[in-house]
Amino acid sequence: KAKKILIYKFDFVHMEWSTVPLQAEFVIEEKEFAAGGFRKAFKATSITEGFNKGTWVVKSYLETAVQLIKDTGQTTEEHTRKSVQMQYLARNFASQLKEAIAKDKLDEYGESFEYKSVYMGKAEDGELLTVEEFIPGDFVKFINNNGTVCEEDTMLCKKAEAFSHFTYEKSQGKVMVLDIQGSGYTLYDPEIASADLQSEDGGYQFCTGNLAGNAIESFFEVHQCNSYCKLLKLKLRPS
């Protein structure tokens, strides 16, 4: 059975949400193919003209996650919007890294990470969802949202650490992209740790997975700059 979902797009350049949503229909598999501590992920097929046909991932919140969001003083919609915006911020950092590699002709760096599109969805019953491009392949987590890094000495792990370090330096120490995970060079579901947990207006920055300065400290406690950090001329974190 097809499910109608209102699709809301976020324009990162203008920092604006679409005011008129696209109504799309998906055939969603009944059983989730993945689940985390926060959401369940279902494969879905788009059957709507005007919205890319093919395989997508529809993610819905667990009841425990909805309660956790409420405990932080946010609504589920506010949290979903932040989740989408967060992925676009991570995507922008990944684009900046690609540009730096091209500008400085760092051919030896090789391929770098990317993030695909993600949208906020609202079902007919009001349930808040995210709709993302499906990424085939084996899932690997390189860095956790608490700043701990994978212990494997692989090229991808080294590049994941260099990417997180890059985001910290690019943001002048304000944020760091963590929860680096995905398939190959395609990442998804990032978390962003901010140096300050609350914004100037007292609101909670980013999402509930933001472990703030503690996660940034934990990352730098174990991170040792590798060849990719050195290619990018990243600085050792000032004390």
Side-chain angles (χ1 to χ4, degrees), residues 7 33 42 78 83 113 119 153 165 171 208 234:
I7 301 293
F33 74 93
F42 300 83
E78 287 172 336
S83 177
F113 294 115
Y119 307 99
D153 186 25
H165 191 168
S171 68
T208 52
L234 299 178

Side-chain angles (χ1 to χ4, degrees), residues 71-200:
D71 291 343
T72 65
Q74 299 180 72
T75 65
T76 310
E77 181 166 338
E78 287 172 336
H79 190 274
T80 307
R81 287 179 183 270
K82 284 185 177 183
S83 177
V84 171
Q85 290 171 308
M86 192 164 58
Q87 177 140 331
Y88 278 102
L89 177 56
R91 187 183 186 186
N92 181 263
F93 277 125
S95 295
Q96 289 185 60
L97 177 55
K98 284 182 186 289
E99 289 170 8
I101 292 168
K103 178 185 175 183
D104 295 331
K105 297 182 174 58
L106 304 177
D107 297 334
E108 59 267 53
Y109 194 98
E111 197 171 353
S112 61
F113 294 115
E114 64 175 3
Y115 288 88
K116 298 292 188 182
S117 299
V118 59
Y119 307 99
M120 182 177 78
K122 188 177 290 186
E124 290 181 292
D125 62 1
E127 182 183 13
L128 274 300
L129 311 159
T130 57
V131 180
E132 311 170 20
E133 294 183 52
F134 174 72
I135 310 299
D138 295 329
F139 167 87
V140 179
K141 184 183 281 281
F142 303 109
I143 302 176
N144 286 301
N145 71 311
N146 63 5
T148 58
V149 301
C150 65
E151 296 179 0
E152 295 179 23
D153 186 25
T154 66
M155 178 177 66
L156 282 172
C157 286
K158 290 176 180 176
K159 286 186 175 182
E161 288 191 47
F163 176 57
S164 286
H165 191 168
F166 175 83
T167 64
Y168 179 82
E169 189 163 306
K170 267 292 175 182
S171 68
Q172 298 180 322
K174 293 177 182 176
V175 301
M176 176 182 282
V177 178
L178 294 171
D179 236 14
I180 310 296
Q181 57 194 336
S183 176
Y185 283 98
T186 305
L187 304 177
Y188 46 83
D189 280 355
E191 290 286 354
I192 292 180
S194 55
D196 299 310
L197 186 59
Q198 293 183 317
S199 56
E200 291 181 0

Side-chain angles (χ1 to χ4, degrees), residues 9-119:
K9 299 180 180 181
F10 181 68
D11 182 341
F12 184 81
V13 175
H14 298 99
M15 299 298 287
E16 293 177 345
W17 284 92
S18 56
T19 53
V20 180
L22 169 69
Q23 183 169 288
E25 285 190 89
F26 297 86
V27 176
I28 303 174
E29 294 184 2
E30 290 187 15
K31 184 171 177 55
E32 71 267 21
F33 74 93
F38 230 67
R39 295 184 294 177
K40 294 183 291 186
F42 300 83
K43 282 186 184 178
T45 304
S46 168
I47 57 173
T48 300
E49 292 292 341
F51 194 78
N52 294 353
K53 289 191 174 182
T55 305
W56 291 80
V57 177
V58 173
K59 294 180 180 176
S60 63
Y61 288 105
L62 301 170
E63 287 184 18
T64 51
V66 173
Q67 185 57 51
L68 185 60
I69 292 168
K70 288 180 181 177
D71 291 343
T72 65
Q74 299 180 72
T75 65
T76 310
E77 181 166 338
E78 287 172 336
H79 190 274
T80 307
R81 287 179 183 270
K82 284 185 177 183
S83 177
V84 171
Q85 290 171 308
M86 192 164 58
Q87 177 140 331
Y88 278 102
L89 177 56
R91 187 183 186 186
N92 181 263
F93 277 125
S95 295
Q96 289 185 60
L97 177 55
K98 284 182 186 289
E99 289 170 8
I101 292 168
K103 178 185 175 183
D104 295 331
K105 297 182 174 58
L106 304 177
D107 297 334
E108 59 267 53
Y109 194 98
E111 197 171 353
S112 61
F113 294 115
E114 64 175 3
Y115 288 88
K116 298 292 188 182
S117 299
V118 59
Y119 307 99

